[in-house]
Amino acid sequence: MIPGSIHTVCAETAETDQQLSQTDSHTVAIDPGHQGPNVDMSALEPLGPGSTEMKAKASTGTQGAFTGLGEYQLNLDVSLKLEQELTDRGYIVVLTRRDNDTAISNKERAEYAAEQGAEICVRIHANGADSSAASGALTISPSSANPYVASLYEQSNLLSQCVLDSYCQATEFDNRGVTYADNMTGINWSTIPVTILEMGFMTNEHDDLQMSDPDFQDTMVTGIADGIDSYFESVGKDVEN
């Protein structure tokens, strides 16, 4: 959890019949965070373009304190369901990985999403904390002062707000707001609007049990997809105006 969260309400979600007519040409990248613990991602890569600061290519993620479910598996399960939901709504979907053995770094994930023609990238993660009392969802966006992708701030912030608001409305998880971070490789190497969704805390009993439930994952996915619809609706209105 990174301090300094700010929450702003996104535009209302469009009606389903309008969504289907508006999403035909949109391409969305979904990035299931992390990979299996058997994949060594400890080698370093630059924090951002031209940076001399180096970070590990990827981290191992957290684990369900009550379910034992690895974050890498939760992220993949939700992402695969989200791919199907978005496809059903008329989107073209790009996934950065489809299994837990793919050795792809955070930098490479950002580059792959753009190379495949994605217009936005939604990175799927789950949170952890020292205290089991911490709960709820948040999104992470680059700040307006990001040294690498400040130009993506406005749309990334909108995307973050839309996804978070719709997700929390669907799941009834606490809305912890949008957090701004400039020290994440997968954000700093992005060339398209990007957000990280921290779906809930795997160290919290309620969140952990809910997120691991396959039926509840369908609710989670609906919320995320509704947020993506809202984002494109809002962007479309801006273009018209």
Side-chain angles (χ1 to χ4, degrees), residues 141-144 149-161 180 193-194 231 235 238:
S141 166
S143 79
S144 59
V149 291
S151 63
L152 297 179
Y153 161 73
E154 185 173 348
Q155 287 191 322
S156 295
N157 183 49
L158 175 63
L159 176 63
S160 297
Q161 292 166 353
Y180 302 95
V194 57
Y231 168 80
V235 171
D238 288 342

Side-chain angles (χ1 to χ4, degrees), residues 71-217:
E71 183 194 349
Y72 64 91
Q73 185 64 59
L74 172 64
N75 296 340
L76 183 61
D77 291 344
V78 172
S79 295
L80 289 171
K81 289 188 172 189
L82 180 57
E83 177 189 32
Q84 185 61 59
E85 177 66 22
L86 290 174
T87 299
D88 290 345
R89 295 190 186 202
Y91 290 95
I92 299 168
V93 183
V94 175
L95 252 66
T96 59
R97 68 178 179 95
R98 292 183 173 276
D99 57 52
N100 293 320
D101 300 319
T102 300
I104 182 170
S105 75
N106 289 320
K107 172 179 178 288
E108 291 167 340
R109 292 165 191 256
E111 292 173 334
Y112 180 77
E115 288 168 358
Q116 298 303 305
E119 297 165 65
I120 60 172
C121 182
V122 178
R123 304 179 64 197
I124 302 297
H125 284 255
N127 227 331
D130 293 335
S131 171
S132 62
S135 66
L138 60 90
T139 48
I140 303 175
S141 166
S143 79
S144 59
N146 185 291
Y148 309 103
V149 291
S151 63
L152 297 179
Y153 161 73
E154 185 173 348
Q155 287 191 322
S156 295
N157 183 49
L158 175 63
L159 176 63
S160 297
Q161 292 166 353
C162 289
V163 169
L164 181 63
D165 289 347
S166 294
Y167 176 81
C168 290
Q169 182 177 3
T171 61
E172 299 185 350
F173 276 21
D174 289 340
N175 188 325
R176 299 176 69 98
V178 179
T179 293
Y180 302 95
D182 298 331
N183 61 347
M184 296 190 171
T185 311
I187 286 178
N188 294 341
W189 280 95
S190 186
T191 55
I192 57 177
V194 57
T195 187
I196 298 174
L197 172 63
E198 296 281 1
M199 299 180 290
F201 282 78
M202 300 190 80
T203 46
N204 175 269
E205 183 173 9
H206 169 268
D207 289 6
D208 188 23
L209 294 176
Q210 288 283 79
M211 291 189 295
S212 67
D213 185 318
D215 291 334
F216 189 73
Q217 288 174 1

